[in-house]
Amino acid sequence: MTFVFRNLEMLMTSNHASVVSMNLFVALLCACIVIGHLLEENRWMNESITALAIGLCTGFVILLTSGGKSSHILVFSEDLFFIYLLPPIIFNAGFQVKKKQFFRNFITIMLFGAIGTIISWVIISLGVTQFFRRLDIGSLDIGDYLAIGAIFSATDSVCTLQVLNQDETPLLYSLVFGEGVVNDATSVVLFNAIQSFDLTNVDPTIAFHFIGNFLYLFSMSTLLGVLTGLLSAYIIKKLYIGRHSTDREVALMMLMAYLSYMMAELFYLSGILTVFFCGIVMSHYTWHNVTENSRTTTKHAFATLSFVAEIFIFVYVGMDALDIEKWKFANDSPGTSVAVSSILLGMILVGRAAFVFPLSFLSNLAKKTPNEKISFKQQVTIWWAGLMRGAVSMALAYNKFTSSGHTHLRGNAIMITSTITVVLFSTFVFGLLTKPLVRFLLPLKQSGSAVSSDPGTPKSITMPLLGGGLDSELDLGVTHANNLRLLLTTPTHTVHRFWRMFDDSFMRPVFGGRGFVPYNPGSPAEPNGE
């Protein structure tokens, strides 16, 4: 009996400690929201920097009170990040994306987000392979170097997006936002593809297998997200003919979105890509099938979950940066740690520049009007927006370098601490300079014409993206010869118009969407405009 009571007492003590930790962490999140709101107009600060700073200060206090033993009130878990925190962030990015701008700039976004990320990955991987082998940082094989390239190819453009205004600079905002999401997905797909290969025995055919595996993950993950989104739209459209429930609509949308992510993980696909495209499809079809109350609720609910998850991550990263256990191994040779972090930062700068400016040049060759082209100042802004590293890099680094225990292998400890250093340095230094740099490169007076137009009209927002008058109703009646000519000269716009015709004729009658009005007994019909 004494043994049972002792175990019960230990369990109660452990549960109480968890309750105390959660109280402290929730209080920290509240502090981040309040302080972030107060500093919203500050020239330098943003939400990410505020959360990191609060996390660092809290970790320092905990480190002092614990006698230098710990800086945590919660223990980091990869499952916590990949299963609970990442899905709402990525889903909300797809759900809130301006679809017209995203798809009308789809080719350029894919150039930057997919091809550009691969270029950055190659340069970073080659760079660290050459430099790290000259440093004594433990045993790293070819798979580790390739994984490092994928880890540090994942960007965090939050700081820049908080400064840009999508009504004033629609083209630039669309490119930075779209590239950031596709970049994260591509980085994770690359990382998972690397992890699934045995790179100890490299043969000439492994490159083809790697490319095939990458394309398979990318395409199947996208397809799964689209199918899940369409299924949710079809279910809600069929269920709520005659009667509906706001609670059930909201719950079903949330659960179906989360199901898409978990199904991707179940089938060893990219959950981040799946849930992103599920969000796009849900915003195009499912969201228009529900009542007005459900639309308002889901829009703010998804945004709130994403906001809290991002703050949670940055607060924890700040505290984790002071975890004394990891730094014990790295501090044995501080010069090596500084060298590793400096090399990584240098490779990030070079890798970013290696694709932004050349791909911008190629993209501009296909543009017909100056408004469609990416100016040099906009190219510099895009380059700068991708210099910050954040939660995805942290999570991938933990996934790669904590499987064997970062406290037991010196090389793993150095890579984890170097990742933390790069994330902190890039977020604080580059992030603090983002507002002044963007305002210097893109003064508001240059975008007055965009603001003066009606922001509620789709054409007024997308005119800098398309140019000319190609979005008029007369274009819908062009001949097949003109269609072929437009496909060759403005392929993105032509494909978009054909898609709208197919969407209106086949997809919306089956899956609902804009124009479908759910029947609500006792209430007037709702408008379903753009």
Side-chain angles (χ1 to χ4, degrees):
M1 282 298 286
T2 304
F3 177 76
V4 173
F5 280 118
R6 185 176 301 167
N7 284 346
L8 182 60
E9 182 179 357
M10 291 176 62
L11 181 61
M12 292 177 63
T13 303
S14 176
N15 289 338
H16 181 70
S18 299
V19 171
V20 171
S21 298
M22 287 305 301
N23 272 278
L24 289 174
F25 213 95
V26 171
L28 285 177
L29 295 180
C30 293
C32 286
I33 294 173
V34 174
I35 296 174
H37 177 74
L38 295 175
L39 296 176
E40 187 174 8
E41 299 301 325
N42 186 274
R43 181 181 179 185
W44 307 95
M45 299 296 289
N46 57 60
E47 296 284 355
S48 303
I49 297 175
T50 302
L52 269 177
I54 291 177
L56 281 170
C57 294
T58 305
F60 181 73
V61 172
I62 296 174
L63 199 62
L64 291 179
T65 55
S66 65
K69 295 181 179 178
S70 176
S71 65
H72 294 138
I73 54 179
L74 291 175
V75 178
F76 182 86
S77 168
E78 293 174 43
D79 291 339
L80 174 67
F81 178 82
F82 282 105
I83 297 180
Y84 301 108
L85 297 178
L86 188 60
I89 296 174
I90 303 301
F91 176 80
N92 185 66
F95 193 75
Q96 302 287 354
V97 69
K98 302 294 183 181
K99 295 182 291 297
K100 288 184 179 180
Q101 296 181 16
F102 180 84
F103 285 106
R104 285 173 178 171
N105 292 282
F106 187 74
I107 295 177
T108 305
I109 288 173
M110 292 304 296
L111 273 177
F112 287 152
I115 305 301
T117 301
I118 294 174
I119 294 173
S120 177
W121 165 64
V122 171
I123 291 177
I124 294 175
S125 299
L126 291 176
V128 297
T129 301
Q130 295 298 319
F131 288 108
F132 283 7
R133 285 178 175 176
R134 303 176 185 178
L135 301 173
D136 182 22
I137 60 173
S139 57
L140 296 177
D141 55 31
I142 183 63
D144 295 325
Y145 293 124
L146 293 176
I148 292 171
I151 289 168
F152 290 98
S153 295
T155 64
D156 186 353
S157 55
V158 173
C159 294
T160 308
L161 290 174
Q162 289 175 352
V163 179
L164 295 176
N165 187 304
Q166 58 183 328
D167 293 329
E168 296 173 354
T169 54
L171 173 61
L172 183 60
Y173 188 95
S174 174
L175 293 178
V176 172
F177 177 84
E179 189 233 337
V181 175
V182 178
N183 165 270
D184 285 344
T186 305
S187 299
V188 174
V189 170
L190 274 174
F191 183 84
N192 291 335
I194 293 167
Q195 296 293 87
S196 64
F197 276 93
D198 180 15
L199 299 174
T200 54
N201 298 317
V202 180
D203 58 74
T205 62
I206 196 170
F208 296 101
H209 289 295
F210 180 83
I211 295 173
N213 189 44
F214 174 81
L215 294 176
Y216 169 78
L217 287 174
F218 210 96
S219 58
M220 294 306 296
S221 300
T222 302
L223 180 62
L224 179 60
V226 171
L227 291 178
T228 309
L230 291 176
L231 179 62
S232 70
Y234 184 80
I235 291 175
I236 288 181
K237 181 175 181 290
K238 291 299 182 182
L239 282 182
Y240 299 112
I241 293 180
R243 64 190 182 92
H244 61 83
S245 167
T246 298
D247 296 336
R248 291 191 181 95
E249 288 174 343
V250 175
L252 189 59
M253 287 184 69
M254 288 185 171
L255 291 175
M256 289 292 286
Y258 190 66
L259 178 64
S260 70
Y261 184 89
M262 296 310 300
M263 286 177 63
E265 296 298 315
L266 177 66
F267 296 118
Y268 301 101
L269 300 175
S270 172
I272 186 173
L273 200 62
T274 296
V275 78
F276 174 70
F277 278 95
C278 179
I280 290 180
V281 173
M282 275 195 173
S283 68
H284 188 66
Y285 295 109
T286 313
W287 191 72
H288 293 281
N289 293 348
V290 300
T291 61
E292 187 175 0
N293 288 336
S294 298
R295 293 176 200 166
T296 304
T297 302
T298 52
K299 181 178 180 180
H300 291 289
F302 293 141
T304 302
L305 289 173
S306 173
F307 176 70
V308 173
E310 286 182 350
I311 293 179
F312 187 102
I313 292 169
F314 279 106
V315 170
Y316 183 83
V317 168
M319 288 190 294
D320 192 65
L322 297 177
D323 184 13
I324 199 67
E325 194 173 0
K326 291 192 292 291
W327 291 96
K328 287 180 180 178
F329 288 89
N331 285 338
D332 292 340
S333 52
T336 302
S337 298
V338 173
V340 169
S341 301
S342 301
I343 291 170
L344 289 172
L345 283 169
M347 289 296 101
I348 288 171
L349 292 168
V350 175
R352 184 78 184 163
F355 76 83
V356 169
F357 300 105
L359 293 183
S360 296
F361 175 77
L362 292 177
S363 177
N364 287 340
L365 291 178
K367 307 297 182 181
K368 300 298 181 182
T369 63
N371 285 335
E372 293 178 306
K373 295 185 178 182
I374 309 171
S375 68
F376 179 74
K377 290 183 177 181
Q378 290 176 328
Q379 294 176 33
V380 173
T381 305
I382 295 172
W383 170 74
W384 185 269
L387 296 181
M388 277 71 79
R389 295 297 178 266
V392 174
S393 295
M394 284 289 301
L396 294 180
Y398 271 95
N399 182 284
K400 178 63 181 178
F401 296 107
T402 62
S403 57
S404 301
H406 58 255
T407 59
H408 302 292
L409 297 177
R410 180 172 174 273
N412 288 5
I414 290 178
M415 288 312 307
I416 290 292
T417 54
S418 298
T419 303
I420 293 173
T421 302
V422 170
V423 169
L424 291 178
F425 182 88
S426 63
T427 303
F428 275 112
V429 178
F430 299 152
L432 286 172
L433 295 174
T434 296
K435 279 187 181 180
L437 179 68
V438 172
R439 289 176 180 175
F440 171 75
L441 293 173
L442 307 169
L444 296 179
K445 63 181 180 180
Q446 293 185 358
S447 55
S449 59
V451 180
S452 62
S453 62
D454 180 15
T457 304
K459 190 173 180 179
S460 68
I461 296 178
T462 57
M463 183 63 74
L465 308 182
L466 301 176
L470 297 179
D471 203 28
S472 65
E473 294 296 329
L474 295 176
D475 288 332
L476 297 178
V478 294
T479 62
H480 293 294
N482 286 334
N483 285 338
L484 180 59
R485 178 179 57 82
L486 287 174
L487 182 61
L488 296 175
T489 56
T490 55
T492 303
H493 176 75
T494 308
V495 171
H496 175 261
R497 192 177 67 255
F498 281 134
W499 159 250
R500 287 300 299 267
M501 295 170 61
F502 173 76
D503 191 27
D504 292 337
S505 301
F506 299 100
M507 298 296 289
R508 284 176 176 168
V510 177
F511 300 104
R514 182 175 55 84
F516 172 73
V517 182
Y519 175 68
N520 183 358
S523 67
E526 305 165 351
N528 281 279
E530 285 284 353

